Amino acid sequence: MDSKDTSLAALRWLVEAGADEAIGEVAQDRLAAPAPIPTPPKPSARKLTSNDAVLASARDLAHGARNLVQLRAALESFEGCPLRQDATNLVFADGNPKAKVMILGEGPGAEEDRQGLPFVGASGQLLDRMLACIGLDRTSVYITNMLFWRPPGNRTPTGHELASCLPFVERHIELVDPGYLFLIGGTPAKTLLGRSEGILRLRGKWTHYQHPGMPRPVPALPSLHPAYLLRQPGQKRLAWQDLMALRAALDSGKDPLLAG
Ligand code: URA
C-alpha cells in the first residue's frame, strides 16, 4: 500500500467509526475541572465484589419481578450499580404502562434525580412538545431510561453502569410489553439493538428488538435525543420525520417491518 492508499484507508476507518457524526448527547467541556474522586460506598450498601456477581444479582432480582411494582422494589434493593451512591432518587418511569409506545432515554439528569421522574428537565419539556405534535402525552406513552440513577455531572455512563442496569431494562420491556419502542439517543439504540453505528445512522430505521423473554419481536425506532436537539435545532426536521413514522405505525396498528 502506498501512502495515499494508507491515508484513504485511515479516513474510511474513521468515517466507519462515526468520526463524522455528532454522537454525544451532552457537549464535553474539556476545560472543566477533573471529575471529583468517587466517594466510597455508603456503609449500608451490600458490597458486590465482582462484575459477575453484580450481573448475576441484577439478573436474579430482575427475573424475580412479576410486575412493575416488584421491579421497582427490586431496583430499590439492588446495590450493584455504583451510580446509586451519588444519586438522590431512583428514577424508574413515568406515563402509562398500558400505552402502546414505550420511550427509552439514556439516564436521569439533575432535575430527574431531584424529582425521581424521567424527562422532567429541559429535554423532557422538549420531549413533551414533540410528543404533543403527534397527539401523544404522558397518558399515551410510557417513559423510562437505560439507567435508573443519574451519572454525576451528567457524564457519559460507563459500560459497567449500563450493564448493571440492563437486566432491569430488559425485564421492564418484558413486563410493559409495548407495541412500539421509541429509542431516543445513541445509548438506548445501540445497547438494545446491539449496534455500533452512531445515532445519525441508526435513526429513522425501524428495527426489531428481540429478547428471549418477549413473546414476539417489538418494532423499535431509534431517534434523536431532545438534549441533542436543544443544541442542534437544525436537526429537528429529522426528529420530526421519526415522529411522523411513529404516528403512522400507531395509526396502522401494524408492525412497520412486516406491513406490506
Ligand atoms: N435525558 C435522558 O436521557 N433521560 C432523562 O430522563 C432526562 C434527560
Side-chain angles (χ1 to χ4, degrees):
M1 236 190 226
D2 67 18
S3 71
K4 190 173 154 223
D5 286 344
T6 314
S7 309
L8 280 174
L11 268 175
R12 252 194 305 279
W13 180 84
L14 281 168
V15 169
E16 270 158 28
D20 59 337
E21 294 181 18
I23 50 171
E25 305 297 2
V26 176
Q28 300 275 319
D29 181 356
R30 305 211 181 271
L31 301 177
I37 296 163
T39 47
K42 289 176 191 158
S44 64
R46 183 158 47 94
K47 199 157 189 311
L48 292 170
T49 44
S50 74
N51 273 354
D52 289 350
V54 166
L55 297 187
S57 156
R59 276 194 295 268
D60 285 355
L61 283 165
H63 289 168
R66 298 272 147 252
N67 54 46
L68 295 177
V69 172
Q70 289 183 6
L71 187 67
R72 189 193 171 105
L75 273 162
E76 299 274 12
S77 72
F78 177 56
E79 304 284 359
C81 178
L83 292 175
R84 68 175 289 158
Q85 310 298 338
D86 295 310
T88 309
N89 280 302
L90 168 77
V91 178
F92 184 62
D94 194 20
N96 180 357
K98 294 201 165 36
K100 288 248 173 306
V101 180
M102 181 169 183
I103 300 177
L104 281 117
E106 179 174 292
E111 193 53 29
E112 288 76 18
D113 179 53
R114 209 175 61 73
Q115 293 191 35
L117 287 170
F119 283 102
V120 288
S123 55
Q125 284 158 24
L126 176 57
L127 178 62
D128 285 343
R129 291 200 296 278
M130 290 160 63
L131 293 173
C133 287
I134 55 163
L136 299 177
D137 61 20
R138 290 186 191 224
T139 65
S140 47
V141 298
Y142 184 71
I143 309 181
T144 185
N145 280 307
M146 299 299 294
L147 297 168
F148 299 94
W149 297 274
R150 179 192 184 207
N154 298 348
R155 64 160 169 71
T156 303
T158 66
H160 173 68
E161 288 156 359
L162 283 165
S164 67
C165 289
L166 188 58
F168 296 97
V169 174
E170 290 166 343
R171 187 73 184 133
H172 209 168
I173 300 172
E174 276 168 37
L175 290 170
V176 172
D177 190 18
Y180 305 96
L181 287 170
F182 195 55
L183 308 176
I184 48 178
T187 300
K190 291 195 239 183
T191 311
L192 293 176
L193 303 179
R195 302 287 290 265
S196 57
E197 300 98 311
I199 188 62
L200 288 174
R201 294 229 169 89
L202 295 175
R203 64 142 288 275
K205 298 183 188 110
W206 286 101
T207 309
H208 277 145
Y209 167 75
Q210 288 187 282
H211 192 257
M214 299 295 296
R216 64 187 172 284
V218 186
L221 185 62
S223 188
L224 302 176
H225 194 289
Y228 170 71
L229 297 174
L230 286 171
R231 297 194 308 277
Q232 302 282 340
Q235 300 286 54
K236 283 185 186 167
R237 70 189 171 83
L238 298 177
W240 175 244
Q241 289 167 10
D242 303 341
L243 288 165
M244 294 302 279
L246 178 64
R247 184 68 258 174
L250 274 168
D251 289 343
S252 76
K254 294 192 182 138
D255 180 337
L257 289 149
L258 303 179

